[in-house]
Structures are given as structure tokens and as C-alpha cells.
Amino acid sequence: MTFTSPFWLILAVPALVVIWLRPMPSRVLTVLRVVTVLLLLLAICGLCVMLPSRSGCVVMVADRSLSMPPGSEVQEAEAAELLYRSMGPSDELAVVSFGERTAVEQPPQSARFGGFVADVGAEASNLAEAVDRAVSLVPPERPGRIVVLSDGHATGGDVAAAAARAASAGIAIDYRAIERSGAGDLAVERIDAPSSVAAAEAFMISAWVHSPRPQDVSYELISGEHVLASGTRSLPAGRSRLVFRDKAGDAGARSYTLRVNAIGSNDDPVVENNRARFLVGVRGVKPVLCVGPTASSLPKLLEAGGLKVVRRSPEKLDWSLAELAAFAAVLVEDIPAGQIGTAGMETLAAWIGDAGGGLLLTGGRNAYGTGGYFKSALEGVLPVSMELRREHRKLSLAIVVALDRSGSMAMTVPGGRQKIELADLATCEVLNQLSGADEFGCLAVDSIAHEIVPLSDLKHKAEMERMILRIDSMGGGIFIDEALEKAAAMIAPATAGAKHIILFADAADSEQPGDYRTLLEKCTKAGITVSVIGLGTERDTDAALLKDVAACGGGQCMFTDNAQELPRLFAQDTFLVSRSTFVEEPTGVRATAGMAMLSSQPWGELPQVGGYNLCYLRPGANLAAVTRDEYQAPLVAAWQAGIGRVLCYTGEADGKYTGPIGTWPHAGEFFCSLSRWASAQDQGLGSDMLLTQQLRGGTARIELHLDSERTGTPFSALPQVTVLRALDGQKPTAERLPLAWTSADVLSIDVPLAGKETLLTSVDVPGVGHATLPPTCLPYSPEFALHADGEGRPTLERMARTTGGIERVNLTGIWNDLPRMPRQISLVPWLLLSSAVLLLAEVLQRRTGIFSLRWRRPASVRVAKPTPAAEPKRSAAAPLPKTRKQPAKLQPSPPAPVAEPAATPRDTVADALTQARNRATRRTQR
């Protein structure tokens, strides 16, 4: 036995003193009180017993990286189910999955595994971190074992060190190898190409291809949309070299893709390494990317001014880092935010702030607030804000949100939130856009409409938000007619100048439209507009219905398959309804002193503009031109966003609302000067410094070479490297790292790459300048690297051998191999229960004395011994008469009186209780 808190044994002293000083009225009560106090004292001290047990915890570590064979995740889930079925009642099962990251899919418990849900990233295999996490899940007081399901191709930390840590904790690691066959794998093993070349320079590309056997293969080298080389070639078994030549074009970055395929064979087990991607930077003056309407004449004006311009439509851009790195700046002319997309705007903002890119934003009704840039990812880097302040509101607004809360809204999206949670937040975003003079109401709709917030003013906005955030998903699909009818009935009595309904619905689960056109016709006559926000795409089954609802309701229809976008879309629709941010009247403009920072040419008086987007200057931004109307709004504003530059021209450069400035003789020079400021070229680090980048395996080495004949250190602090990482369709991430001295003249840093990500690195040398390196990437994910059969098994074997584990063919036997280990079993619950029972017994004894009756011995009766008769005295000389002996007749003597014991008060009470009990028994037997 042992105590978890033996310190509390000191309480025994005062407890005994109290019992001694205040004795109980009887021995029975004394015994009960002493035992109760003793049990409570043992419970406080945490009395435990140590018993040997094999019940413990098994942690299954599942590899979910790309190197695993197809269907491996299903096998791992089946293994978890098998372990669950074979576990004992006191056993626990935990599940850890790993890839780039490690996640605890299930903590130690006796429940069935529910499946893999965590996003661990499949581009790497961080087995060492997964083993460390599994060791931390095993309770220290219980036996444990780890079983690893993997192919053994590990990246990340040191697996041997992780195994040693598990061994020191006394935890064995078993394994089951799940491998993809490497036999017959045709692969592009390596690409040798220069990281950067000069403009118009010819260079050579070498590709090393591994063939498992002699065979004919086809190859194709593509750059952008052009096929540079293609053909067939007979390759021997082993490694062969393919050589290509190309000539660099304009400055920027060129992307290449090489594909090889076996002719007449479909048995390649890893087709992913048949395709390799690589980037080559081109040094020189980078052009400006102009994205806008094809009919715009602005690109021609810029070219006439001496700028290199590349015109692209937004549909032909993927807005990736590799693509943006080819340009000095991007000119976005009058296109809505939806054509760039959320991922594109996030990448564009990161490229500006962390890689030194430039942006010039112009536009008419399709730009700024009216174009959907309000609350977008790009808004944060703009020198102007797009909200319209309350004093500029012309009409009050009544708005009702009809929110889809059908069963499909319960689905979880990346990030862990449900769709309905994001829809609730989006509805709150609508509420936050309104002012005190507005009215708001909310319905939650499935097969019927439920009133969540009645239409009212915003005096109780906080309570409204709480009610909205409590909306949960339930029911079937959303009934469109029910939603529109109840929303129209709610908003009809409103007194606001503008009335608007936002219908949010699943684009693949909208039902029962009814006669919605007749209803919407009545709404239009009543001055009620209806917009639709559909969760899904325009290709979904109910998308056409939702688009028609918006068309008939006089509002806009927006779709998104990314639920994270809902708050922005709700806010955008509210913005357009409640605010008219585009001023259509011709407006005079005057230049300010800030124009001198953007252009060395004095422009004098600027012509009028035909219209502009009403915005407001952000603190710290440079105001270069301002309107002469009542708003005094910025027409030209600029600032430094991170290490990049952003300039906003709120008017329309070429279109319906350009105005007299479009026919101004100096219009071309004016816009060229704005574009040159936004696209300031990288000035480099001077002639006494050289910045290089080399890709070695999965690592990019950045080196800063200093002049060996320098007289001192040219900088006061260590140069900083800004590393921008991006995957297509995802938000880029940035990190700042210092360069470190590796020799007397070289500073360097190694930056690891993962999978399909693109790396864009820039270096800032204090007091010298800033330089951006060409983008780089891996040919393909390291998970698809060429491996021989069984190459990863030795890693698993060494790990098991270090910890005393085995190859686990039969998973169910792992429970029987858990080591016996003394298990601490707490007696505290039993001690507390016993003390409670004894306390009740003490109360019962005090009230009834039942234990005294049961233990009381009956009083003994003393019988007096008869006194013998007195015999006559005889003299000693007189002999006795000789007579025949006859039995003497004893005369009965009266019995001696029996002394009755004195009755005590306790006995009297007990006798009285006994008599009362006997009388009660006799009455019940009659």
C-alpha cells in the first residue's frame, strides 16, 4: 500500500486529541467515530494499493504521406478497428497520424476510432516527431506500446534519436511495413539547370532519367504554353541523360515542365515522378503586367512612354508566385475582385509586401468597393480605405437575411469550422455594416422559416449577435418559397428608404422554389431587392435557380465553394446596397505637393475626371491628387507596403467615366510616371556583393559573397532573408531569417523546400539595399523520389531493435505483449463510501440504540446455595453409634431470595423499547 499525499497523516494527532477530550456516551459510538475518522484520514492521504496489471495503452502511428501506396489510409483505419476489437476492458487505444505535421487523431481512450480527419500535409514524412508525440501519449503509470504503420521513408527529425527517447521511457515500438513497390519505376531523377541567366542568353538543361529496364520512352519539355522539345528515345537500364537547349527571353522567370512516359507499358508504380517542374530566372529589366479589359488603350500609352508591358486577361493568369515574379509590377484596371479570386489576392498581397512587388490599381465601377475589394485580402495593402462614412449615407436601410440552416450546413470545412458557423459570422458581418438609422432581421430556414431576430433597429446589437451565433444546422434542404415569403412579410412594414433581402442557400440543396417569380415581382413593386449568395459553384444543380432568383429580385448573385469567403461576400453585398461609392459626376482635380514624390515632372492643373470611386486616405499614405468636390477624396494616393509599392488611381483610366483627363495631351506621360513609381526595379546590392542561390536536394542555399579585398564590413547588422512560400491555391506564408557567417567572406543560410511549394527569397542588407532572387521549386514532392524495394524497411527495423519492438504481423497480439506493471489502484472512493456508511450507522445508533440491543448480554441469575443443618456437638471421646446407614431425608428448605440486579436507566429504556416492540408484534399478528 502507498499514499499519494502522506503529508495529511499529520491530521491524526488533532483527531485523536478531539476524540480523547470529547468522549462519546457509549463504547459503540466511540468505535464508530474512531473508525469513521480513520477512514476519512486514509482517503485524504490517498491510500492506494499496487497490483500487477497488463492493461495499458497502445498508440498506433499512421503514415499519411504521399509516398504511401494508394489505399493505405483505408488499411490503417482497418488496423485501428482491429486493435479496438481485440482490446481488453481496461485497455486504451490512441491514434497519431503524420505527414509534414503530426496530429493526435484520437487520445488514449476505450472508444472506437472514428477515422482520419486532421490535415497533416502529405508532402513530407516527419516520423521522428510522430514517435515523440506517441511516447507523450502513454501514461507514465501504465504499460504502453507503439505500433508504426509506414513505409519507412522518413523526412524531418532524427528517427534514431526519437527511438532512443522511446527506449529510455521503456516503450517498445513495433512496426508493420506498408510499402509501394519500386520495381519498374521510370523516374526523372534530377534536373540540372541554371538558377538564373541573362536576358536573351542561351543555356543548357540536363535531365537525368532512371529506367528500370531497357525500354523506349517518350519525352516532352514545355515552357508556359509552348512545347520546346519532344520525341522518343531508347533508354538502357539505369540512369540516362537527356539534354535540351533554350534561349532566355525577357527578364523575369521562366517555368519548365519535363514529362517522360514508357511506351507500351502501364506498370509504372509511381507515375508522379515522371513529371518534373523547374524554374529559371532571367536577369534584366522586368516588364509590367497589365490586367484589364481587352479594349483598354492604357497598355499602348504605357508602351509609348517606354515601359515594357505584357497584357493578359485575368482568366489566363493563375496568380502564382512563379508567375508574379516575372514582373516588376501589376496594373489592375477595372476588373472585379472575383476575377482575381481570394487565393490570387492573398498571393498578390504577399508578393507586394514580402517580395518587393508593385501594384497600380485603377478602375471604374468594377474596381474598389463596387468591384468587391472591400474586406478583401488585397484591401490591407492599399493606401486608401473603401468604407463610406455615415455622414455620406443618403438613405436608411432595412435588411433581412434568410439563412440556410439545412443539414448540409453541418459539414466541416478546412480549419475545423462548420459551414453554419461561418454563415453565422457572415450574418453578423452584415449587422456590423449597418448604422443606428438602419433596421435588421434574420430568419433561419430549412423546410420552414424560423424567426431568429425580428426586424428592429440596432439598439440591442450585442443581443442580436448572440442570437445569430446560436443558429445551428438542422432539418432537410432549404425551401426557397418559404424563405422568400417570410422574408418579404418581415421586411414589408419597414420604414427605411431602401429594403433588401439576402438569401443564403446551398447551390446543390435548394428545394421547393414555388411561384417565386410572382412573389419577386410583388417585391420589386414594393421597392424590395433580393440578392443571393450561393455556397457552391455555378455548375451545381440548383445554381440556375438561384441566379434567376437574384435576376428577378434585382440584386446580385455570388457563388463560392470556399465557406471561408462567406463573411466577405455578405459584407460586399451589404456594402453595395447601403452605399453608393462611385461618383458619376465630372469632378475637378488638383495636384498636391505629394505628386513630386511620384514624378519629377510638374503637372500643374490636372483636367477633370468623369467619375471616381469614393475612398479615404489611410494614415501614413502619400496624397498626390485630390478631388475638388465636397468629399475632398483622394484621386491619386501611394505608399510603401512592406518592401513593395502600391499606388491607387481611383478614377477610370480608359472607359465611360474617364472624362477630360483621357483626352489630355499628357495623359500617357502621367500614367507612365505613376506606373514607373509602382514598378521601381530592384537596384541590387552593388558591385562588391554577389547574391547566389543553389538548389541542393530539398534545400535552397542562399549565399551572400563579399569582396575579399574590402577594407571593412559594409553593413552594420546582419542581412535578413525574407522567405515567401506558396502552394497553388493557398495563402503564402512569410518568414524572416538572418544570414550567418560561414567564412570570412561569405554569409549563407539553408532554406528547406517541401513538395510543390514555390520559394521566393529576398535579401535586405542594412545600409546597402534590397535584392530579390528568382523563384525556385523542387521537381516534384520528395515523397515520390526514386526508391528501391524495401529501402525504407531498415529504418523501421532499427527503430524496433532499439526499443525492443518487433515486426507486428498479427496486430491483435500487441495487447498480450504489453509488459506487466504494478498498477496503482486508488481506494479513496471505497474509503469515502465506507465512512459515509459508518456515519449513517452512528446517527442510527444515537436515535435507536439498535447496536446496543444486539450486543447487550442478558443479566445472570444468582442462586443461593443451601445452608447445611447444624449438627450437635459431640465430645471427642464419645464414639458414634453403630447404626446401619440410611439415606438421610433432606427436608426441603425454602429457596433463598435471589438478589435482583439494580436496574440502570439504560436498561430501563431498553426494556421499554423491547416491550413496545413485542406489543407492536402482537398487534400485527392478530
Side-chain angles (χ1 to χ4, degrees):
M1 292 189 178
T2 183
F3 296 101
T4 58
S5 303
F7 172 78
W8 297 110
L9 285 173
I10 197 173
L11 295 177
V13 176
L16 291 175
V17 172
V18 172
I19 293 174
W20 176 263
L21 295 178
R22 301 190 63 180
M24 304 301 291
S26 68
R27 183 178 299 174
V28 174
L29 290 175
T30 301
V31 172
L32 290 174
R33 177 60 59 87
V34 171
V35 176
T36 301
V37 172
L38 177 62
L39 293 177
L40 286 174
L41 183 60
L42 294 176
I44 292 173
C45 295
L47 181 63
C48 301
V49 295
M50 304 297 291
L51 298 176
S53 174
R54 201 185 292 274
S55 298
C57 176
V58 169
V59 184
M60 188 187 84
V61 177
D63 188 346
R64 296 174 58 201
S65 62
L66 291 174
S67 62
M68 295 290 284
S72 59
E73 194 166 304
V74 176
Q75 297 181 44
E76 291 165 343
E78 292 174 349
E81 178 68 17
L82 191 61
L83 289 170
Y84 167 75
R85 292 180 180 177
S86 59
M87 65 192 296
S90 300
D91 293 325
E92 292 180 334
L93 174 65
V95 179
V96 173
S97 66
F98 71 94
E100 295 178 60
R101 300 170 294 278
T102 300
V104 178
E105 303 279 359
Q106 175 176 292
Q109 56 183 295
S110 301
R112 173 181 272 109
F113 177 54
F116 297 103
V117 296
D119 179 16
V120 296
E123 300 288 345
S125 304
N126 200 341
L127 177 57
E129 182 182 345
V131 170
D132 286 337
R133 182 68 63 87
V135 170
S136 69
L137 292 179
V138 178
E141 71 279 359
R142 302 194 65 187
R145 209 170 179 100
I146 298 173
V147 56
V148 176
L149 279 62
S150 174
D151 57 4
H153 299 305
T155 58
D158 187 356
V159 177
R165 289 189 288 269
S168 64
I171 300 174
I173 301 178
D174 301 332
Y175 71 93
R176 173 185 279 188
I178 303 177
E179 299 177 277
R180 182 196 302 233
S181 173
D185 184 15
L186 174 68
V188 178
E189 193 170 347
R190 194 177 81 238
I191 297 288
D192 292 333
S195 60
S196 65
V197 295
E201 178 184 350
F203 59 96
M204 186 172 64
I205 301 169
S206 296
W208 298 91
V209 179
H210 176 272
S211 178
R213 57 183 176 272
Q215 60 181 337
D216 294 335
V217 300
S218 62
Y219 61 88
E220 187 178 52
L221 180 64
I222 302 172
S223 177
E225 299 178 352
H226 305 285
V227 178
L228 301 181
S230 64
T232 61
R233 183 170 171 180
S234 296
L235 299 182
R239 181 187 295 180
S240 301
R241 183 185 183 191
L242 301 179
V243 179
F244 306 95
R245 288 177 174 81
D246 193 21
K247 185 176 181 180
D250 295 333
R254 292 175 65 89
S255 176
Y256 295 86
T257 301
L258 174 65
R259 298 191 183 100
V260 295
N261 292 289
I263 298 176
S265 176
N266 296 319
D267 59 351
D268 194 338
V270 188
V271 296
E272 292 86 353
N273 57 21
N274 293 9
R275 180 180 181 273
R277 182 175 71 106
F278 58 99
L279 301 169
V280 176
V282 182
R283 299 184 297 273
V285 179
K286 297 180 181 179
V288 174
L289 173 64
C290 187
V291 186
T294 56
S296 173
S297 61
L298 182 59
K300 293 182 179 179
L301 288 176
L302 299 180
E303 289 176 343
L307 287 176
K308 290 185 177 180
V309 178
V310 175
R311 184 199 297 258
R312 297 272 179 85
S313 62
E315 297 82 11
K316 294 185 178 181
L317 292 170
D318 58 15
W319 300 99
S320 65
L321 274 183
E323 189 172 52
L324 293 175
F327 305 101
V330 177
L331 193 159
V332 178
E333 183 188 3
D334 197 29
I335 62 171
Q339 293 189 15
I340 301 177
T342 301
M345 288 188 287
E346 290 174 342
T347 305
L348 187 57
W351 173 68
I352 294 168
D354 298 311
L359 172 66
L360 173 58
L361 183 65
T362 74
R365 283 194 167 275
N366 292 322
Y368 295 96
T370 56
Y373 291 89
F374 179 62
K375 295 283 185 180
S376 71
L378 200 59
E379 183 189 20
V381 301
L382 300 181
V384 295
S385 63
M386 287 171 277
E387 84 278 3
L388 183 62
R389 296 169 185 174
R390 295 178 182 177
E391 61 267 23
H392 297 154
R393 292 275 301 275
K394 303 300 183 184
L395 297 173
S396 60
L397 172 67
I399 190 165
V400 171
V401 178
L403 200 63
D404 182 359
R405 73 164 195 181
S406 61
S408 61
M409 292 294 110
M411 295 180 61
T412 302
V413 300
R417 284 181 167 178
Q418 292 182 336
K419 293 179 179 179
I420 189 65
E421 293 181 65
L422 294 167
D424 294 345
L425 292 174
T427 306
C428 291
E429 191 66 42
V430 173
L431 184 62
N432 293 330
Q433 293 295 313
L434 303 180
S435 62
D438 299 325
E439 297 173 272
F440 176 82
C442 179
L443 298 171
V445 187
D446 41 55
S447 56
I448 60 174
H450 309 268
E451 185 179 276
I452 304 300
V453 178
L455 186 70
S456 59
D457 56 28
L458 306 184
K459 293 180 181 178
H460 305 288
K461 181 181 286 189
E463 180 61 26
M464 289 180 173
E465 286 189 2
R466 283 193 292 269
M467 296 168 67
I468 293 169
L469 293 175
R470 287 198 294 264
I471 299 176
D472 203 359
S473 173
M474 57 186 68
I478 179 174
F479 284 12
I480 298 298
D481 57 350
E482 181 75 12
L484 293 175
E485 184 177 347
K486 292 299 175 64
M490 177 183 284
I491 204 172
T495 59
K499 303 176 183 180
H500 186 64
I501 296 172
I502 297 178
L503 174 63
F504 168 67
D506 192 329
D509 193 23
S510 300
E511 306 175 22
Q512 301 225 3
D515 191 8
Y516 67 91
R517 291 178 178 171
T518 301
L519 176 62
L520 291 174
E521 184 178 352
K522 295 179 181 179
C523 289
T524 302
K525 292 179 180 179
I528 302 172
T529 57
V530 180
S531 289
V532 178
I533 298 176
L535 186 57
T537 66
E538 297 187 27
R539 299 181 298 275
D540 289 336
T541 54
D542 298 318
L545 167 64
L546 298 181
K547 285 166 46 174
D548 194 46
V549 169
C552 295
Q556 59 179 351
C557 185
M558 295 178 284
F559 292 95
T560 179
D561 56 358
N562 180 10
Q564 305 282 355
E565 275 280 275
L566 292 178
R568 185 184 73 83
L569 295 181
F570 274 60
Q572 174 64 26
D573 186 71
T574 308
F575 181 90
L576 294 177
V577 174
S578 62
R579 298 163 170 85
S580 178
T581 60
F582 191 81
V583 179
E584 299 184 6
E585 296 82 9
T587 306
V589 181
R590 65 178 178 86
T592 68
M595 183 65 76
M597 299 182 63
L598 307 181
S599 174
S600 59
Q601 183 175 353
W603 296 109
E605 191 69 18
L606 296 176
Q608 284 187 334
V609 294
Y612 69 96
N613 289 275
L614 180 57
C615 299
Y616 299 92
L617 190 71
R618 291 188 186 275
N622 174 33
L623 180 63
V626 64
T627 63
R628 292 182 177 273
D629 58 4
E630 58 177 316
Y631 299 121
Q632 297 291 299
L635 184 76
V636 179
W639 71 353
Q640 194 85 20
I643 59 175
R645 293 182 173 186
V646 180
L647 188 147
C648 287
Y649 176 75
T650 59
E652 187 171 19
D654 184 22
K656 178 180 178 181
Y657 301 100
T658 302
I661 198 172
T663 57
W664 183 35
H666 302 290
E669 300 175 36
F670 176 73
F671 286 112
C672 275
S673 62
L674 300 184
S675 299
R676 284 195 181 92
W677 183 89
S679 60
Q681 299 290 327
D682 192 351
Q683 301 300 320
L685 301 177
S687 59
D688 56 347
M689 293 186 188
L690 176 63
L691 189 62
T692 62
Q693 175 179 259
Q694 289 183 333
L695 187 62
R696 300 174 180 176
T699 302
R701 165 156 286 212
I702 293 96
E703 293 182 330
L704 179 63
H705 302 264
L706 305 181
D707 187 357
S708 60
E709 297 181 357
R710 69 187 186 280
T711 57
T713 304
F715 41 79
S716 58
L718 283 178
Q720 295 287 319
V721 175
T722 301
V723 179
L724 193 61
R725 303 174 183 271
L727 286 170
D728 291 345
Q730 296 186 18
K731 182 179 180 179
T733 59
E735 55 183 335
R736 288 182 63 83
L737 304 168
L739 284 171
W741 291 98
T742 55
S743 69
D745 302 318
V746 179
L747 296 92
S748 67
I749 188 174
D750 290 330
V751 181
L753 281 82
K756 300 178 181 178
E757 71 180 9
T758 299
L759 199 72
L760 186 59
T761 306
S762 57
V763 178
D764 182 26
V765 181
V768 177
H770 173 272
T772 300
L773 289 163
T776 187
C777 66
L778 296 177
Y780 44 76
S781 171
E783 293 296 301
F784 300 129
L786 185 65
H787 295 296
D789 276 349
E791 185 177 327
R793 184 179 289 269
T795 301
L796 301 175
E797 292 174 347
R798 286 192 297 270
M799 185 172 57
R801 187 166 54 250
T802 301
T803 59
I806 61 173
E807 182 177 5
R808 186 64 62 178
V809 179
N810 180 16
L811 289 176
T812 59
I814 194 171
W815 300 106
N816 297 326
D817 291 340
L818 288 173
R820 283 189 176 275
M821 187 175 182
R823 183 179 179 187
Q824 194 177 66
I825 300 176
S826 175
L827 298 181
V828 172
W830 299 102
L831 293 174
L832 293 176
L833 179 62
S834 301
S835 62
V837 171
L838 290 178
L839 183 61
L840 294 175
E842 180 181 330
V843 174
L844 182 63
Q845 171 65 16
R846 286 178 179 273
R847 295 301 181 97
T848 65
I850 186 171
F851 300 112
S852 297
L853 291 175
R854 185 172 299 276
W855 295 341
R856 180 172 174 266
R857 296 176 61 185
S860 59
V861 179
R862 294 182 179 180
V863 180
K865 294 183 179 180
T867 305
E871 294 183 358
K873 294 182 178 180
R874 296 178 183 273
S875 63
L880 291 174
K882 293 181 180 181
T883 57
R884 190 172 58 185
K885 294 182 179 180
Q886 293 181 354
K889 292 183 180 180
L890 299 176
Q891 296 297 326
S893 58
V898 178
E900 293 290 338
T904 65
R906 183 178 297 178
D907 295 337
T908 302
V909 174
D911 291 341
L913 291 173
T914 303
Q915 293 173 10
R917 189 161 52 248
N918 293 338
R919 287 195 298 271
T921 302
R922 285 196 298 270
R923 283 196 301 269
T924 57
Q925 291 177 352
R926 289 177 182 176

